[in-house]
């Protein structure tokens, strides 16, 4: 999961820390990743990275958690340029790979178009890592525009958005807050969590973010849980709080109920499947996945998609539980979507 925001100082670190702590509570051994951090008073103590590492209860090396650090409170690419440096992209990807199959929560830097180096903005990093996004946004006036722009850009790049989290930046009255969540959910067909109230006390603030991330939030469509009885919904809600944000493994006791949920995601499965897909793509080429039906029509070989998902499911370590059916269904959808994106890109490039 990649936590990005409409702006800087909106609450990314709080959201990322809450996700990591929820995953840690579920026994998932999550990996914290804050690849670029600016505004470090001491380069040896990057505050956000340390907060994420502590929330994840991890002992990952700080050099892996936070690859590039800058003193200046500026966009990383600009802070680096002022020092006459170009922060290398490759070590960031190597650090990412180093986390292996663990569930990962990445905190970006600023918003989507913040430069990381002369060639990459934050959105390029998200695309390269192939992660879904949680978008953190202000709860008050101005957020419809900022959030809408960010969502449009993510959609244009084909990056899936799991949720928008609204966070209040001050306790001053703002009459726009009461409508923003519902408006965003309907207009952009996205799940909206929060608004998380403005709380000065750090411990209470942490609890408020955790609560928002566990909640069902506002959705544009009816909840799947309406189809089944309240007790089943409650059991599911308790056991699948992490899964609701598509971040967690579903506990085996809740597997039956979770079959009814449309949004259970297993990040390990998806990232394994993507890796295997890329490997096949590199060795066999795009045509391996396609049948050509004359003219400009291409048909995806569903059996190849199935094979990728099955291989990813089979290759998981013995200590991980078998992925629930909905996670497998989701993984299949992700691979199909990725495949379609690659086909369209190739067609556009070759002018077919
Ligand atoms: Mg931060």
């Amino acid at each position: 999961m990649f936590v990005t925001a409409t702006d800087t100082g909106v609450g990314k670190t709080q959201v990322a820390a809450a996700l990591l702590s929820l995953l840690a509570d579920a026994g998932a051994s999550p990996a914290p990743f804050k690849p670029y951090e600016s505004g470090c008073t001491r380069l040896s103590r990057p505050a956000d990275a340390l907060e994420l590492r502590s929330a994840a209860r991890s002992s990952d090396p700080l050099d892996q958690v936070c690859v590039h650090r800058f003193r200046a409170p500026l966009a990383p690419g600009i802070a680096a340029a002022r020092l006459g440096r170009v922060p290398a992209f490759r070590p960031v990807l190597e650090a990412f790979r180093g986390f292996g199959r663990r569930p990962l929560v990445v905190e970006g830097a600023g918003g989507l178009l913040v430069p990381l180096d002369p060639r990459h903005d934050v959105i390029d990093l998200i695309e390269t890592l192939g992660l879904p996004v949680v978008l953190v946004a202000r709860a008050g006036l101005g957020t419809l525009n900022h959030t809408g722009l960010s969502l449009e850009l993510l959609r244009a790049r084909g990056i899936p958005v799991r949720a928008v989290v609204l966070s209040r930046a001050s306790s001053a009255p703002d009459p726009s807050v009461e409508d923003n969540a519902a408006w965003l959910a309907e207009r952009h067909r996205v799940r909206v969590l929060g608004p998380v109230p403005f709380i000065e006390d750090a411990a209470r603030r942490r609890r408020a973010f955790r609560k928002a991330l566990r909640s069902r939030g506002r959705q544009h469509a009816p909840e799947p849980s309406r189809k089944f009885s309240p007790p089943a919904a409650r059991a599911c809600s308790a056991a699948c709080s992490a899964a609701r944000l598509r971040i967690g493994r579903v506990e085996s006791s809740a597997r039956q109920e979770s079959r009814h949920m449309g949004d259970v995601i297993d990040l390990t499965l998806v990232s394994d499947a993507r890796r295997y897909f890329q490997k096949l793509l590199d060795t066999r080429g795009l045509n391996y996945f396609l049948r050509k039906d004359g003219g400009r029509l291409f048909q995806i070989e569903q059996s190849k998609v199935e094979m990728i998902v099955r291989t990813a499911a089979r290759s998981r370590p013995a200590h991980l539980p078998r992925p629930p059916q909905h996670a497998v269904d989701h993984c299949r959808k992700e691979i199909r979507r990725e495949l379609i994106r690659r086909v369209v890109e190739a067609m556009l490039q070759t002018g077919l």
Side-chain angles (χ1 to χ4, degrees):
M1 188 74 72
F2 197 109
V3 180
T4 186
T6 52
D7 198 354
T8 190
V10 182
K12 283 192 305 294
T13 309
Q14 295 290 335
V15 168
L19 284 171
L20 285 162
S21 69
L22 288 168
L23 284 162
D25 289 354
S29 181
F33 196 27
K34 168 78 183 174
Y36 298 81
E37 183 159 341
S38 306
C40 303
T41 321
R42 287 165 60 196
L43 291 179
S44 61
R45 308 288 298 160
D48 284 3
L50 287 170
E51 188 170 342
L52 298 193
R53 195 170 72 162
S54 143
R57 302 200 281 281
S58 95
S59 52
D60 294 294
L62 203 50
D63 286 341
Q64 185 182 7
V65 177
C66 189
V67 180
H68 295 299
R69 306 166 204 176
F70 306 95
R71 282 210 173 80
L74 298 168
I78 293 171
R82 287 199 182 179
L83 298 168
R85 283 172 41 202
V86 174
F89 203 55
R90 185 184 288 262
V92 172
L93 304 187
E94 278 163 8
F96 169 72
R97 279 190 214 107
F99 292 117
R101 296 158 180 265
R102 290 160 63 197
L104 179 79
V105 178
V106 189
E107 182 189 342
L112 293 168
L113 293 182
V114 163
L116 299 174
D117 62 50
R119 289 180 49 215
H120 300 99
D121 293 340
V122 167
I123 194 162
D124 301 311
L125 176 64
I126 299 173
E127 203 171 26
T128 306
L129 301 184
L131 295 174
V133 156
V134 169
L135 178 68
V136 190
R138 294 184 201 285
L141 198 60
T143 204
L144 296 183
N145 184 48
H146 295 155
T147 308
L149 286 169
S150 300
L151 290 171
E152 286 294 321
L153 184 58
L154 288 161
R155 191 160 293 155
R157 294 278 193 109
I159 297 168
V161 177
R162 296 292 175 245
V164 170
V165 183
L166 295 179
S167 165
R168 292 221 55 190
S170 86
S171 55
D174 181 338
S176 78
V177 170
E178 65 180 271
D179 290 316
N180 285 340
W183 195 268
L184 287 168
E186 277 309 315
R187 176 62 71 97
H188 298 284
R189 320 293 293 165
V190 69
R191 182 194 304 264
V192 180
L193 306 176
V196 181
F198 178 75
I199 300 172
E200 291 216 32
D201 177 71
R204 284 184 54 220
R205 189 167 61 231
R206 267 197 296 277
R207 282 201 293 277
F209 273 94
R210 279 171 56 98
K211 186 175 165 199
L213 288 164
R214 279 201 309 266
S215 74
R216 208 169 271 283
R218 267 177 199 278
Q219 289 193 93
H220 51 86
E223 288 277 330
S225 61
R226 286 183 193 165
K227 291 186 198 143
F228 50 97
S229 65
R234 276 200 296 276
C236 198
S237 164
C240 306
S241 56
R244 184 164 300 124
L245 245 188
R246 310 176 181 207
I247 57 172
R249 294 173 300 159
V250 179
E251 300 297 330
S252 59
S253 63
R255 203 167 278 148
Q256 197 61 27
E257 287 88 343
S258 73
R259 286 200 303 114
H260 298 286
M261 292 188 56
D263 56 358
V264 178
I265 284 184
D266 185 318
L267 285 180
T268 307
L269 183 67
V270 175
S271 76
D272 285 354
R274 278 181 190 278
R275 233 189 321 269
Y276 185 52
F277 171 52
Q278 187 60 50
K279 203 166 132 194
L280 281 175
L281 203 57
D282 291 344
T283 51
R284 309 249 184 165
L286 200 49
N287 277 339
Y288 176 67
F289 300 95
L290 300 174
R291 262 182 293 167
K292 193 158 180 224
D293 262 0
R296 293 159 63 100
L297 289 178
F298 290 82
Q299 199 178 344
I300 284 174
E301 281 273 20
Q302 189 55 33
S303 63
K304 302 285 172 39
V305 175
E306 285 302 322
M307 189 234 327
I308 291 169
V309 177
R310 266 203 319 274
T311 307
R314 261 205 316 267
S315 65
R316 51 206 280 133
H319 70 272
L320 289 180
R322 270 184 51 203
Q325 189 54 46
H326 260 73
V328 174
D329 293 345
H330 166 264
C331 182
R332 189 181 293 119
K333 245 186 271 168
E334 288 287 306
I335 297 298
R336 275 178 57 82
R337 190 182 297 161
E338 179 69 21
L339 188 48
I340 290 167
R341 197 172 69 80
R342 300 295 183 103
V343 173
V344 171
E345 264 174 17
M347 288 173 80
L348 288 173
Q349 272 167 19
T350 56
L352 275 170

